Amino acid sequence: MSTKLSVHWFRRDLRLDDNRALFHALTSGHSVLPIFIFDPEILDELPRNDGRVEFIHKCLQDLQKSLLEMGSSLLVKHGTVEEIWRELIDEYPIVEVYTNRDYEPYAIKRDQGISEFLGEKGIEFKDFRDHVIFEKDEVLSKSDKPYTVFTPYSRMWRSQLTKERLADVGTEPHLENFWKTSPINLPTLAEIGFESSGLTFPPRIPDKKIIKVYDEKRNFPAVEGTTRIGVHLRFGTMSIRKLARVAKALNDTYLNELIWREFYSQILWNFPHVVDQPFRATYAAIPWRKDEEDFKRWCDGKTGYPMVDAGMRELNATGHMHNRVRMVVASFLTKHLLLNWQWGEAYFAEKLLDYELASNSGGWQWAAGCGTDAAPYFRIFNPESQMKKFDPKLKYVRKWVPEYGTPLYPPPIVDHKFARTRCLDVYKMALGKAEQKA
């Protein structure tokens, strides 16, 4: 190995196994300096007890432990990305930088800037597909256009899936090529301006028993029917290829959920306006109510609808909400309360441990009816019916809403029949006018 260094820049790939960019760095012919940057452009927007920052910090400690055993060390910096890179190239003989691609708008802009900056210094910036199995433009229609409807996308996705796509990239045999150095201390959580959230994080390895019966139990929030692996996919502590191999072997419905994740990722790349605008432009005409008191009652889980309130309280307490309940609470906010889906999307973005911009925006727009595979605006979940069907013994509701059935529990914030009629009238009128103008 030469004295010059390659850098592996960890971001949303916090693992040593089956890591594509890391593999290429370790086989570059240079020793590899592993780094991570806590970026204030992201951190400054977060509450000081944000569980995701704590999760990342714990993952970095795990990485450091493994690297120290190899005689190497993780270099963790806190500061604006360009300033950190200026420091790094002054301090270390860096010739190449390797990283895995991120598809969110801020990350794309950041990486373009760093690539140009490093290029001016004669340092090559190399990025790779790792966060998804198929990325932005790899699953296209026969007319070479991105799919905007899930079902045909999923068919094409499956038709293109090969063993090679799911194969482990083989990082581990090359781990000896990390740069050998004395231990470098990681900044503490407090040193980057954060404190413990008190949240419990799900295990990194999914329970195969849950995956095997996922299609049977996934809709019932009172049972352990989902893997809660989302946070590990979000930050790359679990390889998507490894999880897809397991899903393909054990449960097609579970695999389908992973395809939904990739569908929304390519939607975000190809249609970046979905970050803060409806996918379907005509839905921008809907005159959302601006009732902040109703919104607060929804946030606090005090709407008088037990399934909705249980979901919101679970989210506030744990950073997690059951998948079925996410649909119920999102439908309730947008259809029953006629509050802007963007309010709900932003609240989920603040609270969810497994928050991913692509899936969060996609899911909320689905619920509001303004997205790609949107539920028709006239399909409105009845929270009472959902509770009877998916929590018939009220185990989930009673866990999170113990005062349900007592005088302490508030009456419904809005009558279901009234809310349904109001929603249909408002949507129909707004969309009709928008289509006439178009």
Side-chain angles (χ1 to χ4, degrees), residues 273-288:
H273 71 275
V274 298
V275 170
D276 54 13
Q277 300 171 49
F279 179 81
R280 303 184 189 190
T282 52
Y283 280 73
I286 294 174
W288 301 107

Side-chain angles (χ1 to χ4, degrees), residues 207-228 250-254 257 307 320-325 327 386 389-392 395-396:
D207 189 334
K208 291 183 179 180
K209 293 178 183 177
I210 292 176
I211 295 177
K212 281 183 180 179
V213 294
Y214 179 78
D215 54 320
E216 300 171 18
K217 296 187 176 182
R218 64 175 180 147
N219 281 313
F220 301 93
V223 303
E224 195 174 354
T226 63
T227 58
R228 294 187 61 179
L250 297 181
N251 196 292
D252 192 67
T253 302
Y254 193 89
E257 293 299 302
M307 180 72 94
H320 169 75
M321 188 191 297
H322 186 274
N323 296 351
R324 164 59 57 174
V325 185
M327 291 190 286
Q386 292 286 309
K389 185 174 182 180
F390 298 114
D391 191 30
K395 288 185 178 180
Y396 177 72

Side-chain angles (χ1 to χ4, degrees), residues 6-233:
S6 289
V7 167
H8 177 74
W9 183 7
F10 282 104
R11 286 107 63 96
R12 296 175 63 176
D13 59 335
L14 304 180
R15 65 184 189 281
L16 299 179
D17 63 293
D18 192 18
N19 184 321
R20 191 176 301 276
L22 181 58
F23 167 81
H24 287 283
L26 291 169
T27 56
S28 67
H30 306 295
S31 293
V32 175
L33 169 65
I35 73 161
F36 182 88
I37 301 172
F38 278 111
D39 182 358
E41 287 285 327
I42 297 173
L43 298 188
D44 288 353
E45 301 296 319
L46 303 176
R48 296 302 89 187
N49 64 343
D50 192 283
R52 292 159 298 194
V53 178
E54 183 182 10
F55 178 81
I56 291 170
H57 193 264
K58 287 181 179 293
C59 293
L60 295 177
Q61 290 176 318
D62 291 341
L63 276 175
Q64 178 73 317
K65 181 180 178 182
S66 297
L67 287 164
L68 290 176
E69 291 172 356
M70 302 173 202
S72 186
S73 186
L74 181 65
L75 179 61
V76 176
K77 294 284 190 176
H78 179 213
T80 60
V81 174
E82 186 169 331
E83 288 176 359
I84 295 299
W85 277 108
R86 287 184 187 279
E87 293 175 8
L88 290 172
I89 61 176
D90 284 344
E91 188 173 351
Y92 298 95
I94 297 169
V95 291
E96 296 174 321
V97 173
Y98 292 79
T99 198
N100 289 309
R101 282 192 281 272
D102 191 329
Y103 309 104
E104 296 186 0
Y106 167 72
I108 293 169
K109 184 178 179 181
R110 174 198 65 201
D111 288 356
Q112 287 173 340
I114 295 303
S115 178
E116 291 170 6
F117 168 72
L118 293 174
E120 292 170 359
K121 306 295 183 182
I123 299 171
E124 193 169 357
F125 182 88
K126 300 181 179 183
D127 61 351
F128 299 85
R129 166 182 44 80
D130 185 76
H131 191 64
V132 290
I133 295 165
F134 293 101
E135 61 179 0
K136 51 198 180 187
D137 54 2
E138 291 188 307
V139 179
L140 298 173
S141 69
K142 291 180 180 178
S143 57
D144 287 331
K145 293 182 178 179
Y147 284 101
T148 59
V149 177
F150 175 74
T151 300
Y153 172 86
S154 66
R155 290 197 196 104
M156 185 61 75
W157 190 99
R158 289 171 181 272
S159 73
Q160 294 181 199
L161 189 65
T162 61
K163 287 185 178 179
E164 289 73 26
R165 277 278 167 175
L166 297 183
D168 189 312
V169 298
T171 311
E172 291 174 278
H174 307 285
L175 295 178
E176 62 186 24
N177 296 335
F178 276 113
W179 182 53
K180 301 300 186 286
T181 183
S182 54
I184 305 170
N185 291 331
L186 270 61
T188 65
L189 198 58
E191 285 172 342
I192 59 172
F194 285 80
E195 59 191 43
S196 176
S197 65
L199 298 180
T200 300
F201 305 118
R204 185 172 73 93
I205 305 299
D207 189 334
K208 291 183 179 180
K209 293 178 183 177
I210 292 176
I211 295 177
K212 281 183 180 179
V213 294
Y214 179 78
D215 54 320
E216 300 171 18
K217 296 187 176 182
R218 64 175 180 147
N219 281 313
F220 301 93
V223 303
E224 195 174 354
T226 63
T227 58
R228 294 187 61 179
I229 203 69
V231 65
H232 294 285
L233 291 178

Side-chain angles (χ1 to χ4, degrees), residues 340-359:
N340 197 326
W341 64 270
Q342 293 170 308
W343 289 17
E345 194 276 341
Y347 193 75
F348 272 29
E350 179 185 334
K351 294 289 184 177
L352 282 172
L353 278 176
D354 64 3
Y355 166 72
E356 254 189 288
L357 175 56
S359 296

